Amino acid sequence: MSGGNSKSEGSDKSGDGSFASLPAITDHDRELASRSMQEFEQGQYDTALQILNELLKLRQGDAKIMHNKAVIEYYQSGLKKTDEFRQHIRNICNQCQVNLDNIAAMDDVDQILLYYNHAVILYRLRQYHSAVNIVDKLFQFIEPLEENLARKVSLLLAQLYLCTHQPEKATGLLSFIEKSLFSSNGGNKTSERESKDGSPEYGMSDVWKARISQYKARCYLMLKSMKFCKREIKNLMNTIGVSPQLVFLKSNFEYLRGNYRKAIKVLNTAIQAKGPMENPETLNVMYFNNMACIHFHMCKHHLGTFYLRKALAENEAVTRDLRKAVLSKSLSGRPVHSLGISKYYELLYNMGIQLLHCGKPLAAFDCLIEVIQVFPSNARLWLRLAECCIMCYRESNEEDSSLSNRLQVIQGSVGSGVHRKLIIGPGLKETDKMSTDSAAIPGTTIEFASLCLQNALLNIPDDPINAVPTDNENDTSKVHEPLTVPAPPGNPMRGQEVANLRCTILCDSAYVALCLNDFLMAYYYADLLIKQPKLSGAHRYLGHMYISEALVALDKIADAIQHLNPDLITDVSPTPPECKHEQEKDRNGDLPEGEAKAALYSWCPKDITKAKAIMQYNLAAAHTLRGEHEKAIMNLAKSTQGIGTPFPAQIYFLRLYLDLMEGRRKLAQGVIKEHFGHMTPNRV
């Protein structure tokens, strides 16, 4: 928040968008303005307001004085009467014909304070994109500004760049600030000042330098520049000593390097660290949240949920009074810096991901469905909701080898003696899991999973590198900017991360379409999947499996067999070959996004031998449908050697069918005696 200064109290300018025509400023006016500013800076708001009212009587209608009066009254209230302050700013803007909602119309340096204070309020309300648009425009007028205000505008812009995940812009801006606004001359002006309590601590210039160094450390963390980040953290340690902010920075630094135990050790010192904090009441919230994220990467998901419950409880205590003000649609009653301190939805996001990895999809769904109302543009969040539904529909592929499914192969017998017949089950059907409710109704159904995956695809734009060029885009000298996709509340996704997410969504979409018996759409998604560039081995394998299943259902068995060649399987890794060398380097530092780096549950075999065995089973089933029983038997025999015991129930169904079709009754009886004799009252 900022008021005017002794150099600009009053104006004799007129014209569109400027302040009203006023008499010339006298020496007495300047003296009153200077005294008011001095009292304001010393925190004597009553005296400053009294002097300003005296000045306002001499210069009635002066918008700058009215603005400074509104600022002093706001500080006098302890920064609590935010609604009144915003209304005062609006009234002054209407008097001066200034439109705060149209930053492009600003063309006068005298209007900067109005826009700056408006941007500060937006920043406190966490409307970062709106605020950064305003401050970007203000920065164009940085040269004629008074030195202190220029620094405030520049550092606010740097903070907004970090809040909107633009570390590249923030780095360039900080370099400009150091060179232009914090030169040796500017530093000497304030280096002799003491702290507010009179202690001979580091001067104001060191405070500014420490803030810049802290911003630079945050930039390097976002950019994964660990060497430069380590240097900035060391400089901060030497400048300001140990503080809570520095402890969190250092812990985050170790977290990104993969030193999780060291990160926990550093983080545990945050509670004992002493130093000024803007919102000290949120210290416990940040501590428990970060502990949960560290344990997530250590694959201790249950312990992570324990810490997140503590973080949610602390957040509830901090924001209990704030929610009452929100329900009354009033921003007044709490200091402005506390209006945006609630991290409820970010914590709920992390809780949902932790619960999903704990194998609790229903609880995870309840968390994430609430978060999606606040962050509907996050494609990864829609994917996680779909995974909750898929996990409820089918927990894992190990279900096929379960005893309950194997018991469905032989369902019973009829008759007795030589006339006794066994009843073979109809196969594994999951139609009982299909929902009759509308897909638009949120629930852990496979139908709602399809809707979530469609929303996820809609939130990922086409990669401009893969787009078909038009006649006006044939210029090869044109360089495409890297594709960036917002993923609030975390960092935006870039480059290969977007490509990997698109492949995962297409893979899940193909699977869900198969579950819904929508074979044309399953074919479409699977075909689109295997055409993606830089495709991982796991996605390529699943793509061929899904497309072959869709083709079999569409009675295109010959085409399906072409996709079931086991010799083509050379890799089932979830990482594209081109990106394996960057796997460790590309660790995600943003807490809500950390979940992207851990596998949820494996739908793909972990080794090539088992992957080939499963594909050979599907190949045997395809040959069976074509009546090529010899080829089917040969592939089934190879499949059973690689899958391992206990066999999935589908293996027994196919084996019994082939033996009976080939007239090998004794072999079929042998299979039944070996695997199912103990399940029936009388053996064959």
Side-chain angles (χ1 to χ4, degrees), residues 45-46 49 69-85 88 331-336:
Y45 303 129
D46 294 337
L49 187 60
K69 180 182 177 182
V71 171
I72 293 175
E73 289 175 344
Y74 190 37
Y75 272 89
Q76 195 177 31
S77 71
L79 301 177
K80 294 181 178 180
K81 297 182 178 180
T82 305
D83 287 328
E84 294 182 15
F85 177 70
H88 286 319
L331 298 178
S332 299
R334 290 289 298 268
V336 65

Side-chain angles (χ1 to χ4, degrees), residues 248 267-268 270-271 282-292:
F248 280 108
L267 193 59
N268 284 331
I271 307 298
T282 63
L283 179 64
N284 289 337
V285 178
M286 295 185 293
Y287 170 79
F288 288 126
N289 175 75
N290 290 4
M291 287 290 285

Side-chain angles (χ1 to χ4, degrees), residues 616-617 619-620 623 630-640:
Q616 283 169 331
Y617 163 78
L619 185 59
H623 282 303
E630 292 184 1
K631 292 182 179 180
I633 292 172
M634 178 185 65
N635 282 286
L636 185 60
K638 294 179 180 179
S639 175
T640 55

Side-chain angles (χ1 to χ4, degrees), residues 392-494:
C392 288
Y393 179 81
R394 183 180 179 83
E395 186 173 356
S396 71
N397 283 328
E398 301 302 322
E399 292 182 4
D400 293 335
S401 302
S402 65
L403 179 61
S404 60
N405 281 338
R406 285 185 284 128
L407 284 173
Q408 295 183 36
V409 178
I410 304 296
Q411 292 193 339
S413 62
V414 294
S416 61
V418 294
H419 301 289
R420 180 170 174 265
K421 304 292 183 182
L422 294 179
I423 301 175
I424 298 179
L428 301 180
K429 298 291 184 180
E430 293 183 332
T431 54
D432 57 327
K433 294 185 179 181
M434 304 290 284
S435 174
T436 57
D437 297 331
S438 172
I441 299 176
T444 53
T445 63
I446 202 68
E447 292 82 4
F448 187 68
S450 177
L451 181 62
C452 292
L453 292 168
Q454 291 177 38
N455 290 337
L457 280 177
L458 289 174
N459 281 285
I460 297 185
D462 293 332
D463 194 329
I465 297 178
N466 301 326
V468 179
T470 61
D471 295 339
N472 297 329
E473 297 177 346
N474 291 328
D475 185 5
T476 57
S477 62
K478 183 178 180 180
V479 179
H480 291 282
E481 295 183 359
L483 181 64
T484 301
V485 177
N491 282 336
M493 298 176 289
R494 305 171 187 269

Side-chain angles (χ1 to χ4, degrees), residues 319-339:
T319 61
R320 186 179 294 113
D321 296 333
L322 176 62
R323 282 204 312 278
K324 297 178 181 178
V326 173
L327 292 175
S328 63
K329 298 183 179 180
S330 173
L331 298 178
S332 299
R334 290 289 298 268
V336 65
H337 62 266
S338 67
L339 294 179

Side-chain angles (χ1 to χ4, degrees), residues 17-19 63 67 86-101 111 114-115 118:
S18 64
F19 297 103
H67 168 264
R86 297 181 81 184
Q87 187 58 45
H88 286 319
I89 294 294
R90 290 284 180 184
N91 294 338
I92 296 171
C93 289
N94 292 336
Q95 176 184 335
C96 302
Q97 300 179 7
V98 174
N99 185 4
L100 286 179
D101 299 324
Q111 303 170 2
L114 295 172
Y115 281 100
H118 179 54

Side-chain angles (χ1 to χ4, degrees), residues 122 180 430 502 633 644:
L122 292 176
S180 302
E430 293 183 332
R502 182 185 292 109
I633 292 172

Side-chain angles (χ1 to χ4, degrees), residues 34 279 307 441 624 681:
S34 178
N279 293 305
Y307 282 113
I441 299 176
T624 301

